[in-house]
Amino acid sequence: MNLTGNLLIGASEVPASEGTMKALNPATNQLIEPDFAFGGVADVDKAAKLADEAFDHYSHTSLAERSAFLERIADNLDAVSQELAARATLETGLPEAQLQGEAAKAATQFRQFADVVRKGRFLQLAIDPAQPDRQPRPRMDHRLQKIAIGPVAVFGASNFPISYSVAGGDTASALASGATVIVKAHNAHPGASEIQARAIRQAVQDSGLPEGVFSMVRGGGNAIGEALVDHPLIKAVTFTGSEQGGMALYRRAQLRPDPIPVFTEMTSVNPTFILPQALAARGAQIGDGFVERMLVNVGQACLKPAILIAVDGAGFEALRAAMVKRVTDAPARPMLTPGIHGAYLSGLDRLQSTGANLVAVGSVAHADLDGRSALLEVDGQRFLAENALAHEVFGPAGLLVKVKDETEMFAVARSLRGQLSATLHLEEADLDLARRLLPVLERRTGRIVVNAFAHPQEVSFATIHGGPFPASSDSRFTSVGMTSIERFLRPVTYQGFPDALLPEALRELNPLGLPRSVEGQ
Ligand code: NAP
């Protein structure tokens, strides 16, 4: 595919209005062709107006038509998957085989959402029929369905350049809900973003849908993102990235004359607790597995296990030695951007200046943006005294927290902020302790894993990728999995409607054959 670097606003190719950028190959620290356009507030306005104009038509497409559209996007992604993975590799330094897997996952997500749409359960249809003879007051007919919230702005993530980016789960779930979408592409992978955007746009055209169903904008600095969040025609925002960026956009949206929901997925250290019998039985194995997962994606993963908590006792030294070995043997690998690399180095400094000891480092960095793996250690008392130790360092580093007893382990668990996931390693004899720890963890996390690690994640009906703040800004929702569609839906009641005026899904004879609750049954 010939990359033009243009913004793709509806069917238009829009050249730069606010300068250009080139992609950076983080493995070589060299810029890659071509130039990519930066747009401005006027481009956001054009995309938002098109998204608004397209909304009434698109949100009323039949379930069959919408699922066919989502499947067409999946087919288009499959058709460009080799090229997409190759370009994403150049722009991120991540292994090509991994990115081929991501491209396949992105296409699969669209197919999964096509199935969700076809089955119609997400509409949550409910009917409370009229009761004209009810005493003391008759009841009118009430029927409920969920509809799409309106045009959605999606901020693509930097670290998974396909499956959480332009054609990622946020775009797939928003389009599945019937919302129109404007993606703010992440500047860490502009070429991969364009390939994905063209695959989606081609599906819009081939499906005969209005051009405003999908647009992609890009900008330098905060102005373009702020314009998206401020635009009166945008009705919801999704964001994956830093706590600072996510909260800036969240607060901004609450200051609008008409505040809108902003679903941010921000930061998590995914604490891992090794219970005493598991530590004694398999300390070395767990330590090795922890570091292996910690290093996936050069530690630039939302589910990276970053903090491991274990009681000093049988198995602790074996655990520690296995972690030290894995970290020491790990080669340095390129990190995604100069900004992320710089933040990693400052994060390591922060951990050490607040009391953690560096106990192992990986092999020397060769390229400018290589991230060298690191293991730090701290005792429970120090961890509890210093909040900064519990904050994420995005990159290939982990912190081993040595607690002196069970009471201190509970205190550490209670001190943690909201998390995407927490993990327990346990044996049969640890079950009583695990039962007592569970309520503490449930309050603080969206997912609890036993005897494994949370990464990689399933995209399924039971998947939750979210959690209490600061893991996300709204712990009631997930950003991954089939129920992520719920972020973009709102309920509408149709009261006293003649059958012919009702949405098809709510008509008396149930012409679409969809699951519906009647009188709550
Ligand atoms: P980021 O700096 O928060 O940026 C994410 C996106 O939001 C970018 O497109 C950025 O635009 C935009 N943005 C950020 N702040 C903004 C603001 N105030 N106004 C308008 N737009 C704004 O995230 P990142 O580049 O991915 O940086 C990596 C950090 O994100 C890591 O340190 C990590 O903590 C976090 N992260 C977390 C997860 C997770 O799943 N929890 C995943 C990835 C990253 P520009 O690039 O143009 O500034």
Side-chain angles (χ1 to χ4, degrees):
M1 182 184 296
N2 181 29
L3 297 176
T4 65
N6 290 331
L7 309 182
L8 302 180
I9 300 185
S12 305
E13 299 273 335
V14 179
S17 58
E18 310 260 337
T20 60
M21 63 163 286
K22 281 187 175 27
L24 177 76
N25 180 338
T28 60
N29 212 2
Q30 303 287 311
L31 296 175
I32 326 168
E33 294 299 329
D35 285 333
F36 287 91
F38 281 149
V41 174
D43 298 302
V44 167
D45 186 52
K46 183 172 177 209
K49 283 182 175 141
L50 284 177
D52 183 64
E53 280 164 22
F55 182 79
D56 284 344
H57 176 101
Y58 181 64
S59 62
H60 284 84
T61 45
S62 71
L63 299 182
E65 193 184 348
R66 207 184 305 161
S67 349
F69 166 56
L70 298 175
E71 277 163 354
R72 197 169 251 145
I73 295 175
D75 292 345
N76 291 353
L77 287 170
D78 280 344
V80 294
S81 66
Q82 297 291 330
E83 183 187 0
L84 176 55
R87 178 75 196 190
T89 301
L90 274 184
E91 294 181 338
T92 61
L94 297 171
E96 191 161 343
Q98 178 183 323
L99 293 168
Q100 278 164 0
E102 252 199 68
K105 179 176 173 177
T108 300
Q109 284 188 144
F110 276 95
R111 292 200 175 92
Q112 286 175 298
F113 277 108
D115 197 44
V116 166
V117 170
R118 200 176 293 109
K119 291 191 171 130
R121 204 173 278 275
F122 74 101
L123 295 169
Q124 293 177 34
L125 304 167
I127 299 176
D128 295 330
Q131 293 179 353
D133 301 326
R134 190 182 70 172
Q135 292 302 328
R137 217 166 16 94
R139 183 175 79 184
M140 289 178 79
D141 186 84
H142 285 61
R143 296 178 186 233
L144 178 149
Q145 73 165 353
K146 292 223 167 159
I147 66 162
I149 195 166
V152 172
V154 170
F155 285 74
S158 59
N159 55 340
F160 290 95
I162 308 172
S163 59
Y164 292 86
S165 184
V166 176
D170 284 346
T171 301
S173 53
L175 288 174
S177 76
T180 51
V181 169
I182 303 172
V183 172
K184 190 274 184 197
H186 200 290
N187 293 340
H189 48 267
S193 297
E194 181 177 334
I195 296 170
Q196 294 168 70
R198 288 189 183 281
I200 299 173
R201 190 167 83 157
Q202 192 60 48
V204 172
Q205 286 167 3
D206 293 347
S207 304
L209 292 168
E211 57 171 324
V213 166
F214 175 81
S215 292
M216 181 189 73
V217 295
R218 186 186 307 103
N222 292 342
I224 198 141
E226 291 174 354
L228 266 174
V229 171
D230 290 349
H231 202 288
L233 295 175
I234 295 293
K235 296 301 173 196
V237 176
T238 75
F239 169 95
T240 305
S242 65
E243 182 176 346
Q244 192 188 14
M247 288 315 294
L249 296 174
Y250 178 90
R251 290 195 187 99
R252 204 169 172 98
Q254 304 322 304
L255 293 175
R256 286 169 48 130
D258 59 334
I260 55 171
V262 179
F263 300 100
T264 67
E265 193 225 306
M266 299 175 290
T267 179
S268 177
V269 292
N270 306 300
T272 297
F273 294 83
I274 312 187
L275 303 192
Q277 300 307 319
L279 181 63
R282 342 179 234 115
Q285 189 193 334
I286 297 168
D288 189 60
F290 178 94
V291 176
E292 184 191 358
R293 286 297 160 85
M294 178 186 107
L295 298 178
V296 168
N297 240 43
V298 203
Q300 303 158 120
C302 35
L303 287 174
K304 177 192 87 170
I307 293 190
L308 191 152
I309 302 115
V311 180
D312 193 11
F316 189 90
E317 280 315 313
L319 166 87
R320 189 175 184 279
M323 294 177 81
V324 166
K325 176 159 187 352
R326 254 284 176 174
V327 166
T328 311
D329 291 348
R333 299 244 187 254
M335 299 191 70
L336 293 165
T337 65
I340 288 175
H341 181 256
Y344 175 59
L345 298 180
S346 334
L348 290 180
D349 286 347
R350 169 170 53 77
L351 290 181
Q352 289 173 84
S353 65
T354 46
N357 298 315
L358 188 64
V359 291
V361 283
S363 62
V364 218
H366 291 295
D368 296 352
L369 298 185
D370 274 357
R372 212 174 161 187
S373 54
L375 178 67
L376 298 101
E377 188 178 20
V378 73
D379 64 39
Q381 223 179 349
R382 181 76 207 154
F383 184 86
L384 289 167
E386 187 51 77
N387 278 337
L389 291 168
H391 286 230
E392 182 184 14
V393 175
F394 198 64
L399 180 64
L400 174 59
V401 183
K402 180 161 73 175
V403 291
K404 66 174 189 292
D405 53 22
E406 194 184 289
T407 307
E408 202 167 79
M409 180 181 267
F410 271 79
V412 166
R414 286 199 186 90
S415 75
L416 293 170
R417 306 198 295 168
Q419 305 292 334
L420 293 171
S421 77
T423 294
L424 292 172
H425 286 277
L426 53 84
E427 294 285 301
E428 188 84 25
D430 292 312
L431 281 178
D432 178 54
L433 173 58
R435 252 180 229 113
R436 285 183 284 121
L437 195 52
L438 213 47
V440 180
L441 298 181
E442 280 169 348
R443 281 179 66 176
R444 287 164 180 79
T445 187
R447 176 168 11 166
I448 304 169
V449 182
V450 168
N451 287 343
F453 296 94
H455 184 86
Q457 70 199 28
E458 289 295 319
V459 178
S460 70
F461 285 92
T463 299
I464 288 298
H465 192 64
F469 179 86
S472 80
S473 53
D474 194 332
S475 62
R476 295 168 298 171
F477 296 94
T478 177
S479 63
V480 178
M482 307 339 291
T483 61
S484 61
I485 193 174
E486 289 171 10
R487 293 173 296 171
F488 312 113
L489 295 168
R490 67 179 186 83
V492 175
T493 291
Y494 304 83
Q495 186 176 336
F497 267 49
D499 204 55
L501 190 60
L502 278 168
E504 233 185 335
L506 288 172
R507 290 195 190 145
E508 192 57 23
L509 294 179
N510 196 5
L512 301 179
L514 296 175
R516 318 194 293 190
S517 100
V518 180
E519 296 278 19
Q521 301 297 315

